[in-house]
Amino acid sequence: MAIKRSVSFYSYQQAYYTGRKTLEELVAATAQVVGSPGVELIPEQMPVGEYPDPSDEAVETWKGWMAKYGTTPTCMDSFIDTMLYKDRFLTLKEQVGQMVRDLKLAKRLGFSVIRVLCPIRKEVVEASLDAAAKLDVKMGLEIHAPMTLRSRWTTEYMEMVRKSGSKHAGLVVDFGIFQLRPPRRALETAKGAGAKPEILDRICELQETHRPVAEMMAEIARMGGGDVERGVAMGLARSLYSEPDWMRDYAPYLFHCHGKFMEMDEDCRETGIDYETPIRVLKEIGYDGWISSEYEGQRLYAGAEEADEIEQVRRHHVMMRKLIGE
Amino acid sequence: MYEKYMVLKEDIQSVVVNGVGTGFTVKLRIPYYRGVCLSLVEDIQVKFNGRLFPKESLTFSVEGGTFSFAEMATMTQHRWEFGEKATVFVPLAGGIPLGMHRVEVTVAIRVSYMGGARPFTVAIDGVSPMGG
């Protein structure tokens, strides 16, 4: 068994939002252009029929696409709107209701894992364990910066999971926790806006050694930087780093990975996030789940120029094939 | 993405009923990366040349129907989907007058994991009664 490649359709949000591509066209591009066997979906972003209760016909159509394009559903991304109403938070029971609703939808669409959004309380997952077991769909709490693999939120959640003995609760790791530098494009934009290259170099140096943003701010002030340099540092404020080795603590509980990326260069290298070390660690611990490309670089573009989402995802898969050793 | 695509200039149109301008409509895509229940639309405001039309004065149409904001507050089955163009009706008596105008639209979606709503505003200049 080996690590398997997937694409989160989050990557294609601009193509879908603007109406340039339909869901089926994106499945086709994933199979034919990217060459990815796995598909991850946010059904509240690109619904199969209707969210949360698609018709049987819509589900059949979806399954038909999976068969036609030779793709497999990997992970479905769940949200829980705890602030559904203006004047109160949802109760635990109501939140569990939303979780179960998503577990059922995942089952119908053929997903074996759902991503649980990182701020969801462990009590909600705990109270959903029976439903997850009955449906045989796993719940993976997403470890997403600024959360780390060793945050108290993570360790307390994992304590609950271990104590429960359940095989249906675990983690989804977002590779944004392995970010070492700002994406190349962010640095170029800053240079274009007058940032001093030596200050940007210093920011990168501090980020690579996981220094806090407050220290970057002090350095920027000392070196005579201004708003542009401070903007680059602020862009890193939520990028709290996790050591890839920390994944070893949770080997049996790693259900899925989000291959978060911001920019793939012409040589198919991610310009800011480490992939080599985490993939090496995953191999060493025998991870045989999926890594879904999750492109988020659309926001680095302003004006007329736009990201080529499918090309970025294609490059990401060239890199993943190499690192996985396909 | 939302700066560029939430409102398109050509999607601002006068509404004329029996030869009388009753207002104008603005088509809006959601400034968020997923669709939401209508109860999560915390606020929408439209300014026409600086004149404010608060949410109470507007109606909001999506595939499921046309609603007031008071109605939307309790609507958890109807959704505004990602990429779907909702239509907001703004009761500007007479419709859009001759000339070029500025339309500003603010949308605030309540995002639970952010702890609340963050208003997002787009301004469109050069709006004319001929559309666009």
Side-chain angles (χ1 to χ4, degrees):
Chain A
M1 292 295 273
I3 298 172
K4 296 167 283 191
R5 292 176 293 108
S6 171
V7 176
S8 169
F9 279 26
Y10 180 86
S11 305
Y12 307 135
Q13 55 182 278
Q14 189 157 293
Y16 186 91
Y17 187 71
T18 54
R20 289 173 199 151
K21 287 268 191 285
T22 63
L23 183 54
E24 184 183 3
E25 287 165 345
L26 292 171
V27 175
T30 298
Q32 295 161 357
V33 182
V34 176
S36 167
V39 168
E40 172 168 351
L41 190 71
I42 304 179
E44 294 189 65
Q45 181 179 57
M46 303 179 190
V48 172
E50 254 186 87
Y51 177 85
D53 297 309
S55 64
D56 290 339
E57 291 73 23
V59 174
E60 283 315 305
T61 301
W62 165 257
K63 290 187 171 165
W65 295 339
M66 295 299 110
K68 177 177 173 188
Y69 298 106
T71 44
T72 302
T74 61
C75 176
M76 189 191 100
D77 293 66
S78 161
F79 295 79
I80 291 179
D81 288 308
T82 54
M83 296 172 77
L84 185 63
Y85 303 104
K86 194 175 169 62
D87 303 322
R88 67 174 183 91
F89 287 98
L90 292 192
T91 64
L92 175 65
K93 187 172 178 176
E94 287 170 325
Q95 293 183 50
V96 172
Q98 291 205 355
M99 182 79 88
V100 173
R101 173 193 73 187
D102 282 349
L103 287 166
K104 285 180 180 162
L105 177 59
K107 183 73 181 179
R108 287 183 73 198
L109 298 177
F111 291 97
S112 56
V113 176
I114 64 169
R115 180 288 310 263
V116 176
L117 204 63
C118 57
I120 299 304
R121 290 158 52 211
K122 63 180 189 302
E123 290 78 8
V124 181
V125 176
E126 191 173 21
S128 307
L129 287 172
D130 283 349
K134 274 190 201 120
L135 293 161
D136 196 18
V137 175
K138 295 175 174 175
M139 298 174 284
L141 182 75
E142 184 174 18
I143 306 302
H144 187 294
M147 228 162 87
T148 74
L149 285 163
R150 290 193 173 169
S151 298
R152 206 175 93 185
W153 192 259
T154 311
T155 54
E156 289 182 356
Y157 166 80
M158 283 308 301
E159 203 174 302
M160 176 281 288
V161 171
R162 286 187 164 121
K163 222 180 265 175
S164 75
S166 170
K167 298 279 174 268
H168 289 90
L171 300 173
V172 169
V173 171
D174 180 281
F175 271 42
I177 62 177
F178 307 126
Q179 186 177 356
L180 292 176
R181 294 166 62 86
R184 178 181 64 176
R185 199 176 178 86
L187 294 172
E188 280 171 3
T189 304
K191 275 181 204 160
K196 292 188 182 129
E198 65 274 18
I199 300 184
L200 295 179
D201 288 347
R202 183 70 184 131
I203 293 172
C204 292
E205 212 175 277
L206 291 168
Q207 172 75 2
E208 278 172 26
T209 48
H210 325 307
R211 305 305 304 163
V213 168
E215 194 176 323
M216 288 180 196
M217 289 301 187
E219 277 290 275
I220 293 166
R222 190 184 63 77
M223 295 174 77
D227 283 347
V228 182
E229 289 90 346
R230 279 194 288 273
V232 173
M234 279 316 292
L236 296 167
R238 292 172 60 81
S239 304
L240 243 58
Y241 182 77
S242 291
E243 291 291 345
D245 267 334
W246 296 349
M247 288 193 288
R248 296 177 197 274
D249 302 351
Y250 307 119
Y253 299 99
L254 301 183
F255 292 162
H256 187 77
C257 291
H258 279 168
K260 161 73 53 61
F261 72 105
M262 298 299 286
E263 186 180 7
M264 296 302 296
D265 71 13
E266 302 68 26
D267 300 319
C268 301
R269 290 173 308 198
E270 217 296 324
T271 64
I273 297 171
D274 183 19
Y275 269 79
E276 277 181 36
T277 326
I279 289 185
R280 181 170 49 73
V281 171
L282 287 172
K283 280 189 195 167
E284 285 171 7
I285 61 179
Y287 177 74
D288 60 2
W290 301 86
I291 302 178
S292 282
S293 305
E294 194 186 60
Y295 178 54
E296 202 170 74
Q298 297 90 345
R299 58 183 67 173
L300 299 173
Y301 290 77
E305 199 186 354
E306 289 186 359
D308 184 341
E309 296 166 322
I310 293 171
E311 170 60 12
Q312 282 288 308
V313 172
R314 188 194 67 77
R315 290 180 188 181
H316 194 249
H317 276 250
V318 170
M319 178 187 73
M320 288 211 292
R321 273 194 198 93
K322 198 174 106 200
L323 294 176
I324 291 168
E326 275 183 44
Chain B
M1 185 165 99
Y2 312 129
E3 292 81 358
K4 209 161 149 183
Y5 295 109
M6 183 174 96
V7 187
L8 301 180
K9 198 193 275 187
E10 59 265 32
D11 284 339
I12 302 174
Q13 303 274 352
S14 264
V15 175
V16 179
V17 178
N18 297 327
V20 179
T22 57
F24 65 93
T25 54
V26 183
K27 288 191 176 142
L28 290 181
R29 288 190 180 104
I30 194 166
Y32 183 35
Y33 69 83
R34 66 176 172 121
V36 297
C37 302
L38 298 188
S39 67
L40 289 165
V41 182
E42 173 107 352
D43 195 18
I44 293 186
Q45 294 183 355
V46 179
K47 280 185 186 167
F48 185 83
N49 292 338
R51 180 179 159 198
L52 175 69
F53 290 86
K55 66 178 175 184
E56 293 75 17
S57 66
L58 311 172
T59 61
F60 184 88
S61 309
V62 280
E63 201 184 307
T66 295
F67 310 107
S68 71
F69 278 81
E71 289 169 326
M72 284 163 65
T74 56
M75 296 181 84
T76 57
Q77 304 286 320
H78 291 266
R79 295 175 62 85
W80 182 10
E81 293 297 353
F82 180 71
E84 178 184 7
K85 285 185 179 180
T87 302
V88 171
F89 175 74
V90 185
L92 174 71
I96 301 172
L98 284 172
M100 300 293 236
H101 310 280
R102 180 182 176 87
V103 173
E104 252 181 83
V105 184
T106 300
V107 178
I109 305 292
R110 210 157 54 247
V111 178
S112 299
Y113 60 83
M114 296 287 203
R118 293 183 186 179
F120 183 82
T121 301
V122 169
I124 306 286
D125 283 306
V127 173
S128 79
M130 318 315 277

